[in-house]
DNA sequence: AACTCGGGGAA
DNA sequence: TTCCCAGAGTT
C-alpha cells in the first residue's frame, strides 16, 4: 500500500463521528472550517451546533446583524473570523445567489478563506484534488518524509505544498485529506506519538533517525507584551453603567467593554483619580474602589493584560447607560464577561 | 518575512 | 509553565 492508501485505511478504522462529517453541504463545511481554524475540535463543536441551530442556512446567517453573530461567537476567540464569516455570508447570498463557489480558485477569494480552508471545502464538498495543509498535516509530512525545513517559513510552505500534492490520493481526496489530519491528531500527535503501533512506522524517516521529537521544525515565536488595563465600571442610581463598543485596530474589534484607561504600568487609586477625566465625563463621583486587589492577568497569544476593575459610583445619570442586568446581551471578551458574571452589586 | 489576532486544554 | 490547536489578514 502507498502512503495515501495507508492513511485512508487507518482513517476508515479510526475516524471520529463529527457533526460535519455527515454532510457535503458547503455551508456546513465552511462554517466548521472557519470555526476550527487554530481551534481544537472539543472547543469548536458546541459553537458549531449553536450556529447551525440559530442559522440553518447561509441566508439566515446573512440576515443576522453582526452583533448577534459576535455574541454567538463569544468565547471562541479570533473574532475577525466571526466578522469575516458574516461578511462572506452576505457576499454569497447577494452576489452568488446563495451558492458557494465550487472550486479552490473561487473559494479562496472569500474573506476569511485561505489556502487551507479553500482546499478543505473544495475537497470535502466537490472532490477537487487539492491537499490540505494544517498543523497536523505539516507534522505528519515532516516526520514521515524527514523534512527539517521550518513549516512556517515561505520556503517551507512552498516545499510542503508540493510534497503534499505528490503524495495525496486523487481518487478519494475527501477521505485522504480528513484522514491525514485525523491521523496527525490522534496517531502522529505532537507529544507522545504512538509510533509502536503506527501503520506507517516502517517507512517513517523521523522514526528511523530518531528525530520524531525534533520534527516538525517551527520558527521562533514572538515574545509576549505586558499591558495594563484599568476598566472604569460606572454605576448610577438606576444600576446602569457605561458599556461601549471597542473600535479601531487591535484586539476585540466590535466587542463591548467598560471605559478603558490603559497605562504604562500598574497604578493606584490616586493615579487613577487624576486620569478619570481623560476617559469618561462624570459630573460627580460619590465613591471609588478597586474591585480586584490583585490584578487579573488575562493571557492572550501575544499579550498579557494586567487588569484592574475600578467601581465608580455616581448619583448623576450616566449618558447612554445600560442596565447591568442587560450587559449579557452584548458580545464581550471573556475577560469582561467573566467580570460581569462574578460582579454582584 | 514578521506581526497580529483568543482562548483553552494537555503534559 | 509551555506548546499548539482542521490559519488568515495585515504590515
Amino acid at each position: 500500500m502507498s502512503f495515501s492508501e495507508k492513511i485512508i485505511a487507518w482513517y476508515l478504522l479510526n475516524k471520529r463521528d463529527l457533526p460535519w462529517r455527515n454532510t457535503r453541504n458547503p455551508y456546513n463545511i465552511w462554517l466548521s472550517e472557519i470555526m476550527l481554524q487554530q481551534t481544537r475540535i472539543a472547543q469548536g463543536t458546541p459553537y458549531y451546533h449553536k450556529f447551525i441551530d440559530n442559522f440553518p442556512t447561509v441566508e439566515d446567517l446573512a440576515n443576522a446583524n453582526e452583533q448577534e453573530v459576535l455574541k454567538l461567537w463569544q468565547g471562541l476567540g479570533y473574532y475577525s473570523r466571526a466578522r469575516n464569516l458574516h461578511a462572506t455570508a452576505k457576499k454569497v447570498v447577494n452576489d452568488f445567489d446563495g451558492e458557494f463557489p465550487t472550486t479552490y480558485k473561487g473559494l479562496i477569494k472569500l474573506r476569511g478563506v485561505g489556502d487551507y480552508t479553500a482546499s478543505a471545502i473544495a475537497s470535502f464538498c466537490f472532490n477537487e484534488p487539492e491537499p490540505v495543509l494544517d498543523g497536523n498535516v505539516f507534522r505528519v509530512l515532516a516526520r514521515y518524509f524527514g523534512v527539517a525545513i521550518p513549516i512556517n517559513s515561505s520556503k517551507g510552505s512552498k516545499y510542503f505544498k508540493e510534497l503534499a500534492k505528490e503524495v495525496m490520493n486523487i481518487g478519494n481526496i475527501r477521505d485522504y485529506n480528513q484522514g491525514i489530519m485525523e491521523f496527525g491528531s490522534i496517531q502522529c500527535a505532537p507529544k507522545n506519538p504512538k509510533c509502536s503501533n503506527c501503520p506507517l512506522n516502517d517507512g517513517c524517516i523521523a522514526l528511523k533517525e530518531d528525530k520524531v521529537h525534533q520534527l516538525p521544525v517551527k520558527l521562533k515565536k514572538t515574545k509576549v507584551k505586558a499591558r495594563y488595563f484599568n476598566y472604569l465600571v460606572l454605576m448610577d442610581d438606576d444600576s446602569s453603567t457605561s458599556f461601549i463598543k471597542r473600535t479601531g485596530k487591535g484586539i476585540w474589534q466590535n466587542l463591548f467593554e467598560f471605559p478603558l484607561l490603559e497605562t504604562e504600568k500598574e497604578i493606584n487609586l490616586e493615579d487613577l483619580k487624576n486620569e478619570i477625566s481623560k476617559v469618561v465625563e462624570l459630573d460627580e463621583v460619590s465613591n471609588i474602589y478597586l474591585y480586584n486587589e490583585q490584578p487579573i492577568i488575562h493571557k492572550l497569544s501575544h499579550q498579557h493584560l494586567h487588569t484592574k476593575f475600578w467601581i465608580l459610583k455616581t448619583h448623576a445619570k450616566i449618558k447612554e447607560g445600560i442596565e447591568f442586568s442587560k450587559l449579557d446581551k452584548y458580545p464581550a471578551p471573556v475577560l469582561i464577561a467573566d467580570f460581569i458574571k462574578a460582579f454582584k452589586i
Side-chain angles (χ1 to χ4, degrees):
Chain A
M1 275 202 290
S2 67
F3 172 82
S4 71
E5 288 168 343
K6 288 181 180 174
I7 290 287
I8 292 174
W10 179 92
Y11 177 61
L12 296 178
L13 286 176
N14 294 282
K15 72 178 200 177
R16 292 168 286 182
D17 183 21
L18 303 176
W20 46 88
R21 282 195 174 151
N22 306 315
T23 180
R24 287 179 186 263
N25 184 322
Y27 171 66
N28 296 65
I29 299 295
W30 164 71
L31 177 63
S32 72
E33 292 303 339
I34 300 298
M35 284 185 164
L36 294 174
Q37 288 167 3
Q38 291 294 288
T39 304
R40 293 175 185 282
I41 287 172
Q43 186 186 5
T45 300
Y47 286 84
Y48 175 79
H49 289 302
K50 277 203 304 184
F51 269 72
I52 291 297
D53 288 346
N54 282 274
F55 311 120
T57 69
V58 68
E59 285 82 7
D60 298 317
L61 179 56
N63 290 335
N65 57 50
E66 186 186 87
Q67 200 161 311
E68 195 179 347
V69 175
L70 284 171
K71 182 63 194 179
L72 278 184
W73 198 274
Q74 178 176 310
L76 197 53
Y78 284 160
Y79 297 95
S80 66
R81 292 183 296 170
R83 299 191 300 270
N84 289 336
L85 183 85
H86 188 225
T88 290
K90 291 208 262 190
K91 175 94 174 166
V92 168
V93 168
N94 295 329
D95 295 2
F96 305 147
D97 198 28
E99 299 291 326
F100 277 83
T102 60
T103 63
Y104 173 90
K105 279 191 66 177
L107 288 160
I108 203 169
K109 292 176 185 170
L110 301 175
R111 290 188 63 79
V113 175
D115 176 70
Y116 163 78
T117 305
S119 303
I121 301 171
S123 61
F124 300 170
C125 300
F126 307 113
N127 298 317
E128 184 174 345
E130 194 68 34
V132 291
L133 279 164
D134 77 330
N136 295 308
V137 178
F138 277 119
R139 184 170 54 256
V140 172
L141 295 180
R143 284 176 176 168
Y144 187 81
F145 295 101
V147 182
I149 304 170
I151 60 174
N152 55 342
S153 64
S154 55
K155 180 184 289 186
S157 40
K158 279 183 191 171
Y159 185 92
F160 280 98
K161 181 83 173 181
E162 284 309 306
L163 176 57
K165 283 188 176 182
E166 287 175 20
V167 303
M168 70 179 172
N169 190 300
I170 294 175
N172 188 356
I173 193 66
R174 175 178 158 98
D175 283 336
Y176 170 74
N177 271 345
Q178 298 200 53
I180 191 170
M181 288 193 285
E182 189 85 329
F183 179 83
S185 172
I186 295 174
Q187 188 80 28
C188 194
K191 294 171 184 172
N192 307 115
K194 305 173 185 173
C195 298
S196 57
N197 72 344
C198 177
L200 291 166
N201 60 10
D202 57 339
C204 180
I205 294 181
L207 183 61
K208 188 190 305 178
E209 299 180 357
D210 196 24
K211 291 178 179 172
V212 172
H213 296 282
Q214 302 168 32
L215 295 173
V217 175
K218 210 169 180 177
L219 256 34
K220 62 182 186 306
K221 52 270 175 189
T222 53
K223 60 171 178 290
V224 176
K225 180 185 178 184
R227 299 176 71 179
Y228 300 88
F229 280 12
N230 296 275
Y231 281 114
L232 307 188
V233 184
L234 311 189
M235 187 164 27
D236 67 14
D237 295 333
D238 298 330
S239 289
S240 286
T241 189
S242 177
F243 206 50
I244 51 188
K245 186 188 279 191
R246 192 178 169 93
T247 58
K249 294 182 162 188
I251 60 174
W252 300 337
Q253 275 176 48
N254 297 1
L255 275 64
F256 283 73
E257 63 183 2
F258 301 101
L260 172 62
L261 172 66
E262 182 172 2
T263 51
E264 290 298 315
K265 55 183 177 58
E266 199 177 322
I267 61 170
N268 59 31
L269 181 56
E270 294 311 309
D271 300 328
L272 179 79
K273 285 179 177 173
N274 294 325
E275 305 287 339
I276 290 176
S277 63
K278 293 182 179 176
V279 183
V280 293
E281 282 184 44
L282 276 178
D283 296 333
E284 174 269 336
V285 177
S286 59
N287 186 19
I288 305 180
Y289 65 92
L290 179 58
Y291 172 74
N292 55 317
E293 206 56 51
Q294 280 303 108
I296 296 166
I297 303 178
H298 188 74
K299 294 179 178 177
L300 307 180
S301 310
H302 295 76
Q303 307 177 17
H304 286 184
L305 308 177
H306 299 246
T307 307
K308 290 181 173 177
F309 290 93
W310 301 88
I311 315 300
L312 283 72
K313 294 193 176 181
T314 178
H315 296 303
K317 189 168 177 59
I318 293 167
K319 295 171 190 168
E320 300 179 28
I322 299 173
E323 290 176 40
F324 273 93
S325 59
K326 294 182 178 172
L327 294 184
D328 62 356
K329 304 298 181 190
Y330 296 81
V334 166
L335 172 66
I336 302 297
D338 283 351
F339 167 80
I340 294 170
K341 194 175 177 184
F343 179 65
K344 296 303 171 197
I345 307 171

